[in-house]
Amino acid sequence: MADLRVKIGGLDLKNPIMTASGTFGFGEEFNDFFDISKLGGYVVKGTTFEPRQGNAYPRMAETPAGMLNAVGLQNKGVHYFADVIYPRIKDIDSHLVVNVNGSTIEDYIKCTEKVAELERVTAIELNISCPNVKQGGMSFGVCATSASEVVKAVRKVYSKTLIVKLSPNVTDITEIARAAEAEGADSVSLINTLLGMAIDVEKRRPLLSTVTGGLSGPCVKPVALAMVWKTAKAVKIPVVGMGGIMDWKDAVEFLLAGASAVQVGTANFIDPTVCLKIIDGLNDYLDRHNYSSVNEIIGAIGV
Amino acid sequence: MRKFVADFTVTDNIALNANYFLLKLTSVEKLPEMLPGQFVEVKVDGSPTTFLRRPISINNIIEERNELWLLIQTIGDGTRTLSALKSGDLLNLILPLGNSFTLPENPSKSVLLIGGGVGTAPMLFWGKYLKNRGFEPNFLLGARSSKDLLQLEEFDKYGTVFTTTEDGSAGEKGFVTQHTILQTKSFDFIYTCGPKPMMLAVAVYAKSKNISCEVSLENTMACGFGVCLCCVENTINGNVCVCTEGPIFNINELKWQI
């Protein structure tokens, strides 16, 4: 049995398998399916300072090897999270990460400050890459100047581990990653969804109420992997990789490309126990290749 | 209710007509408790264009045989792949999902179950459940033509069956909402599942007669257990997930133009 422990900023993860925000609810939805304390960490649904109703239905369209979503950060606000949900999940023996969102820098700060009060939340994932909100979200993450600004502001009010979630909808993701690193981010996670679209030809109408949405699933994996590889070379802070991971092999690819941990997203919808299988598969892989620690394979492609 | 992910074995796959088939499934484990109105999420293997599971309502539970029935309409690649399943094949399901129809307290109440097209599927299980609890259900089933009226011999076991067809080849000609029993009989509870325009018309009728009415929604969903937040219905309580707060809603909760 290889040592699966990895480090992301101040977080000592028992293994590199985390779940991606927006695909794992608040974790408790999976209690019937498996013991979620087996996860390295889990990132809960994107949270904003004020409650949000999200976008109108329809919000989802299946695509070849993936899906589009346009949920639009539906959530009951950070106070509801802190008062109602947090007490129910705080004692799970895994790293609880809150995905923080905002329309303005002020929103990001207020939401972060509230989350910072919660002892058992060991990190935040600053989402500057949501493609499904009209204001804020991805607009912060598509240019290095605004990314710097929001990371700097949040860093001032948050002393625990700060992970910045990056958008792939940019010319050069490494530029944004370096900007986040320069402002004190402990880690970057990538990729958020790719901007996409689907059309009903009979009705001559878009399939999503918002016309465009975020693409996820195995169809984005090669894009994600290339971005993780480039980013891992460009920054010194650990990279958390995600994008279309469906099984242990996909997870190993991301680790080999330079990710120190991975997040599993859309796959949770199809097999709610997939993370357990990935942890087991990763362990078998390391044993089979006589590695004593998962850290030996991080970035270990001979190029 | 606890949810499970499990493999089931196909014991039979019966083509009911060109577009509908009935899958009978069993499991080595005893089936968990399931309620009428609930659904399962079916994993589709062997269809490269099908990525997500398919939500399918529970058509019937035969406890003596530990058997679960799914009535499925062939619509796209996913359901077409399922239609080719053979006895002995394995099928992975997540179940039971969603809420259930509300059981009236008094079995002497008059209940009407209205199904259109594949929307008749959950009404069989619900009618049987009601019959087993002393109710005398009325079924009103609608289809395009006589060959699309499915499982009539099954429905006959649990109540009185009324039918409509659009072409008049069986029952009364027209839509379910034009059937004469809606004018000649009175009902205390109506439950409906089918195309949205049909359910809307049923809801309008129920509201005009002050009859309690529940509808079963089938909004497009990715997960089926409340984490993707894709299948929301705009209700008086805001956007709620059809997969966890539904699929059964009282019409008074909805923001439909009733």
Side-chain angles (χ1 to χ4, degrees):
Chain A
M1 169 111 190
D3 184 353
L4 294 180
R5 289 174 300 172
V6 295
K7 209 168 156 56
I8 301 290
L11 306 185
D12 288 307
L13 306 182
K14 63 181 84 168
N15 64 61
I17 310 304
M18 305 172 72
T19 55
S21 179
T23 66
F24 205 66
F26 294 102
E28 53 189 0
E29 294 87 342
F30 287 75
N31 286 341
D32 282 355
F33 301 123
F34 75 104
D35 174 8
I36 66 169
S37 72
K38 298 244 191 278
L39 294 167
Y42 65 108
V43 188
V44 299
K45 175 67 192 160
T47 301
T48 49
F49 186 70
E50 302 283 352
R52 283 181 61 94
Q53 274 294 316
N55 294 320
Y57 180 86
R59 294 176 170 184
M60 195 279 286
E62 192 177 32
T63 67
M67 58 174 278
L68 289 160
N69 90 81
V71 172
L73 295 174
Q74 177 178 328
N75 79 100
K76 292 182 173 171
V78 73
H79 284 93
Y80 183 87
F81 173 76
D83 297 341
V84 180
I85 294 166
Y86 173 72
R88 294 203 301 249
I89 62 176
K90 70 180 174 54
D91 295 322
I92 291 166
D93 178 25
S94 180
H95 282 285
L96 166 56
V97 180
V98 174
N99 180 279
V100 169
N101 293 269
S103 302
T104 63
I105 289 183
E106 184 62 15
D107 281 350
Y108 278 104
I109 292 172
K110 285 194 291 183
C111 190
T112 302
E113 283 175 334
K114 185 67 198 169
V115 173
E117 294 170 11
L118 309 174
E119 191 194 347
R120 293 279 300 167
V121 176
T122 46
I124 61 167
E125 182 178 63
L126 192 69
N127 188 356
I128 56 169
S129 45
C130 178
N132 292 326
V133 291
K134 284 205 183 88
Q135 287 165 335
M138 192 171 82
S139 64
F140 283 105
V142 293
C143 117
T145 317
S146 55
S148 296
E149 232 180 304
V150 64
V151 174
K152 185 179 187 175
V154 168
R155 180 76 285 178
K156 274 189 193 154
V157 299
Y158 196 72
S159 58
K160 290 187 264 185
T161 297
L162 170 60
I163 304 167
V164 178
K165 187 168 183 177
L166 304 180
S167 171
N169 304 305
V170 294
T171 312
D172 180 3
I173 198 166
T174 64
E175 191 193 340
I176 318 289
R178 283 195 303 265
E181 181 182 39
E183 295 302 341
D186 297 302
S187 169
V188 285
S189 60
L190 59 142
I191 60 172
N192 204 323
T193 53
L194 277 156
L195 199 66
M197 180 172 168
I199 295 171
D200 180 332
V201 294
E202 298 301 327
K203 294 179 182 159
R204 293 175 292 280
R205 296 279 304 157
L207 282 167
L208 299 175
S209 69
T210 48
V211 185
T212 61
L215 183 66
S216 66
C219 57
V220 309
K221 196 190 81 175
V223 177
L225 204 57
M227 288 191 172
V228 164
W229 179 66
K230 283 167 78 176
T231 305
K233 288 195 302 175
V235 296
K236 293 189 179 65
I237 53 177
V239 172
V240 178
M242 77 190 94
I245 295 176
M246 299 299 286
D247 57 25
W248 66 266
K249 252 188 205 171
D250 294 334
V252 168
E253 279 192 70
F254 276 86
L255 296 169
L256 288 170
S260 298
V262 298
Q263 291 182 8
V264 179
T266 307
N268 291 307
F269 300 155
I270 295 152
D271 180 0
T273 65
V274 69
C275 287
L276 274 191
K277 294 174 185 165
I278 292 175
I279 295 167
D280 288 345
L282 170 63
N283 194 47
D284 290 347
Y285 171 83
L286 295 170
D287 285 350
R288 195 152 46 82
H289 290 274
N290 296 316
Y291 288 110
S292 58
S293 161
V294 68
N295 287 286
E296 294 168 43
I297 69 163
I298 294 171
I301 40 170
V303 288
Chain B
M1 289 170 87
R2 183 161 177 213
K3 297 184 274 291
F4 299 84
V5 192
D7 282 335
F8 287 73
T9 307
V10 177
T11 55
D12 210 349
N13 180 359
I14 304 162
L16 299 179
N17 67 27
N19 303 313
Y20 293 89
F21 58 100
L22 179 65
L23 278 184
K24 296 185 177 179
L25 306 167
T26 193
S27 159
V28 281
E29 305 283 329
K30 188 177 181 298
L31 291 177
E33 188 196 357
M34 288 178 257
L35 294 171
Q38 290 191 302
F39 64 100
V40 304
E41 279 277 7
V42 181
K43 189 159 175 288
V44 183
D45 291 323
S47 169
T49 51
T50 307
F51 178 61
L52 298 166
R53 285 177 184 259
R54 293 293 181 264
I56 307 286
S57 66
I58 298 169
N59 176 237
N60 201 358
I61 303 286
I62 316 285
E63 279 174 28
E64 317 80 88
R65 292 207 295 270
N66 206 40
E67 205 169 73
L68 163 67
W69 292 9
L70 303 176
L71 174 69
I72 303 175
Q73 183 180 11
T74 306
I75 296 174
D77 292 350
T79 45
R80 197 169 302 117
T81 304
L82 295 174
S83 73
L85 286 168
K86 294 189 168 54
S87 295
D89 287 347
L90 291 182
L91 197 60
N92 187 268
L93 307 183
I94 307 177
L95 83 183
L97 300 171
N99 67 354
S100 56
F101 293 112
T102 309
L103 185 72
E105 280 178 19
N106 185 346
S108 69
K109 295 289 183 190
S110 163
V111 294
L112 175 64
L113 283 57
I114 304 179
V118 76
T120 58
M123 294 309 171
L124 181 63
F125 184 25
W126 180 219
K128 178 177 162 181
Y129 189 94
L130 286 164
K131 177 75 178 173
N132 288 343
R133 280 155 187 78
F135 289 83
E136 293 295 336
N138 297 283
F139 299 104
L140 174 53
L141 310 173
R144 292 225 169 108
S145 73
S146 61
K147 68 176 175 24
D148 301 315
L149 283 169
L150 310 170
Q151 298 182 299
L152 292 181
E153 71 296 342
E154 288 292 332
F155 281 103
D156 269 333
K157 293 180 190 170
Y158 308 117
T160 312
V161 181
F162 303 91
T163 58
T164 61
T165 51
E166 288 172 38
D167 64 3
S169 55
E172 292 189 13
K173 185 174 177 174
F175 296 116
V176 286
T177 44
Q178 295 164 327
H179 198 283
T180 48
I181 59 156
L182 295 181
Q183 305 311 325
T184 56
K185 291 185 77 155
S186 67
F187 302 99
D188 300 307
F189 294 90
I190 293 179
Y191 308 88
T192 185
C193 182
K196 172 99 183 259
M198 184 203 93
M199 291 197 291
L200 183 60
V202 170
V204 168
Y205 166 81
K207 185 140 188 165
S208 73
K209 301 268 183 187
N210 211 15
I211 302 169
S212 175
C213 179
E214 290 183 341
V215 300
S216 175
L217 304 187
E218 52 164 12
N219 294 9
T220 316
M221 54 186 69
C223 72
F225 45 92
V227 297
C228 75
L229 309 188
C230 290
C231 64
V232 292
E233 179 71 17
N234 188 15
T235 69
I236 55 169
N237 301 312
N239 282 330
V240 301
C241 287
V242 164
C243 69
T244 50
E245 308 298 309
I248 314 301
F249 290 90
N250 189 288
I251 56 170
N252 295 328
E253 296 171 79
L254 301 173
K255 287 194 169 174
W256 292 3
Q257 298 300 312
I258 302 171

